[in-house]
């Protein structure tokens, strides 16, 4: 770790903050985004971003606000340049995958051009699949001149073990699974989520691995009639997800869905476990396996990370 002594890291995305922690560099983190909340010891660090959105609004209004901002070529997030100027970071971690999820790379580059006291190195993450996340961890370690931790291979091993456990529990066909990333408008989960569902012993009904979350027509969900429905709205915790799912459950034909009839509708803490392409995606695979194959897999996440609706 001697090479890290002069590091001053600002992370503008929660998944990057978790990667920094995995690398054992929390002591070198000097600033974070307003959404970074894990590990808990970083919560008192200076906040370097703020949202132009009110996330307590209903889902439909949040979606409309996002659409309006993007149509007007405005970012959903603002960078507190004066805070970054004071922190004088050597490195800033951001992302170039989703303008809705966090501060974008272009926004960071534009803001940093105005800095006068420092010119930090920008590390941009762009993961779409699980392998990209593992590669990002290695890339961040290399850029920050630290060794890739054994904890990375531990994460990969956990995923492999979980996959083997679920394979051994499948007698006939895989349960079909619909993962819901947003409720109004209805959207299925994309990017790494379909892949995680497969690793956990399920068959994702909607969404293509590595591709953004697609919109989902209500009639299409009814026609697909999944065995299991799992809610994981972007940015919402367990309590807020229960509210959103309960509203959707009032829609016509909801009670006719196979997943509803068999009591296999679940809510999750998407904000902590499914929306962040970081180390805790290993937890996410285990959570999905626990939901889909409770007779074989028990990790103890129920009540904290997921519950039945």
């Amino acid at each position: 770790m001697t090479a890290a002594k002069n590091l001053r890291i600002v992370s503008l995305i929660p998944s990057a903050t978790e990667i920094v922690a995995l690398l054992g560099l929390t002591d070198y983190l000097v600033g974070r985004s307003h959404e970074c909340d894990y590990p808990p010891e970083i919560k008192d660090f200076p906040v370097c971003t703020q949202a132009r959105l009110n996330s307590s609004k209903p889902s439909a209004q949040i979606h409309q606000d996002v659409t309006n901002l993007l149509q007007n070529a405005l970012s959903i997030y603002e960078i507190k340049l004066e805070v970054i100027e004071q922190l004088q970071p050597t490195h800033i971690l951001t992302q170039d995958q989703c303008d809705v999820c966090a501060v974008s790379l272009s926004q960071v580059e534009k803001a940093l051009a105005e800095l006068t006291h420092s010119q930090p190195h920008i590390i941009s993450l762009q993961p779409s699949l699980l392998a990209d996340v593992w590669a990002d961890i290695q890339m961040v370690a290399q850029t920050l001149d630290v060794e890739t931790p054994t904890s990375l291979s531990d994460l990969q091993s956990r995923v492999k073990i979980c996959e083997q456990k679920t394979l051994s529990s499948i007698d006939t066909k895989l349960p079909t699974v619909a993962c819901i990333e947003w409720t109004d408008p209805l959207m299925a989960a994309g990017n790494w989520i379909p892949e995680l569902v497969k690793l956990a012993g399920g068959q994702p009904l909607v969404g293509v691995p590595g591709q953004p979350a697609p919109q989902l027509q209500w009639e299409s969900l009814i026609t697909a009639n999944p065995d299991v429905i799992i809610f994981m709205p972007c940015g919402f915790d367990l309590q807020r997800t229960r509210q959103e799912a309960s509203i959707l459950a009032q829609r016509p034909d909801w009670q006719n869905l196979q997943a509803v009839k068999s009591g296999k509708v679940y809510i999750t803490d998407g904000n902590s476990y499914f929306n962040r392409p970081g180390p805790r995606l290993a937890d996410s695979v285990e959570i999905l396996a626990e939901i889909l194959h409770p007779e074989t897999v028990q990790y103890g996440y129920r009540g904290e990370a997921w519950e039945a609706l």
Side-chain angles (χ1 to χ4, degrees):
M1 282 303 172
T2 53
K5 282 185 177 177
N6 296 321
L7 288 178
R8 293 181 60 81
I9 305 166
V10 165
S11 172
L12 300 181
I13 181 171
S15 58
T17 300
E18 297 188 26
I19 290 173
V20 169
L22 183 78
L23 296 176
L25 297 175
T26 309
D27 288 345
Y28 300 96
L29 195 67
V30 296
R32 64 176 180 88
S33 82
H34 64 284
E35 293 181 322
C36 295
D37 55 11
Y38 189 89
E41 58 263 30
I42 61 93
K43 288 187 178 181
D44 292 331
F45 288 15
V47 176
C48 302
T49 61
Q50 61 188 24
R52 288 191 171 105
L53 293 173
N54 179 356
S55 60
S56 64
K57 288 183 177 181
S59 293
Q61 188 58 58
I62 293 173
H63 179 77
Q64 187 58 54
D65 290 348
V66 167
T67 302
N68 291 342
L69 284 168
L70 295 178
Q71 284 178 346
N72 289 307
L74 292 172
S75 172
I76 297 164
Y77 305 94
E78 294 179 271
I79 297 174
K80 296 182 176 181
L81 199 59
E82 70 284 357
V83 177
I84 293 180
E85 185 81 274
Q86 291 169 1
L87 294 173
Q88 296 190 33
T90 58
H91 295 77
I92 291 184
L93 285 90
T94 185
Q95 56 91 42
D96 193 24
Q97 185 208 43
C98 175
D99 288 347
V100 178
C101 297
V103 174
S104 67
L105 173 61
S106 59
Q107 188 184 0
V108 173
E109 289 175 334
K110 183 178 178 181
L112 296 193
E114 299 178 30
L115 289 180
T116 56
H117 292 101
S118 61
Q119 286 300 315
H121 180 90
I122 300 174
I123 304 173
S124 184
L125 311 181
Q126 196 178 14
S128 298
L129 295 167
L130 192 56
D132 300 334
V133 177
W134 305 149
D136 276 347
I137 293 171
Q138 292 175 313
M139 182 268 288
V140 173
Q142 185 176 6
T143 306
L144 298 178
D145 200 19
V146 295
E147 291 183 9
T148 303
T150 55
S151 47
L152 173 57
S153 57
D154 291 343
L155 294 174
Q156 294 167 320
S157 296
R158 282 171 53 195
V159 171
K160 195 68 181 174
I161 290 168
C162 188
E163 182 184 19
Q164 290 168 346
K165 280 185 178 180
T166 55
L167 279 173
S168 66
S169 72
I170 298 168
D171 296 326
T172 51
K173 69 181 185 73
L174 299 175
T176 55
V177 184
C179 292
I180 306 299
E181 187 168 296
W182 201 249
T183 55
D184 192 3
L186 194 60
M187 299 179 77
N191 290 308
W192 46 86
I193 297 299
E195 179 186 13
L196 300 194
V197 170
K198 288 182 180 179
L199 290 168
Q203 179 184 339
L205 269 186
V206 194
V208 178
Q211 296 298 313
Q215 287 215 14
L216 177 62
Q217 297 301 316
W218 177 251
E219 295 75 16
S220 300
L221 179 65
I222 298 298
T223 303
N225 201 16
D227 297 320
V228 181
I229 297 174
I230 305 175
F231 288 89
M232 48 182 70
C234 193
F236 290 169
D237 61 13
L238 209 55
Q239 181 180 352
R240 178 67 190 270
T241 299
R242 181 176 290 281
Q243 294 173 11
E244 296 297 321
S246 299
I247 294 170
L248 195 69
Q250 297 170 17
R251 297 282 295 267
D253 296 325
W254 171 260
Q255 297 298 332
N256 297 328
L257 285 165
Q258 174 61 33
V260 178
K261 289 179 180 177
S262 59
K264 293 185 177 180
V265 181
Y266 305 96
I267 57 171
T268 69
D269 182 348
N271 182 54
S272 293
Y273 294 101
F274 293 98
N275 313 148
R276 300 182 183 187
R280 284 194 290 173
L281 285 189
D283 298 57
S284 306
V285 175
E286 293 172 347
I287 292 164
L288 289 170
E290 198 172 64
I291 289 172
L292 298 177
H293 302 284
E295 68 289 341
T296 306
V297 181
Q298 289 291 335
Y299 288 103
Y301 289 103
R302 186 168 191 164
E304 175 216 343
W306 71 274
E307 292 176 352
L309 181 63

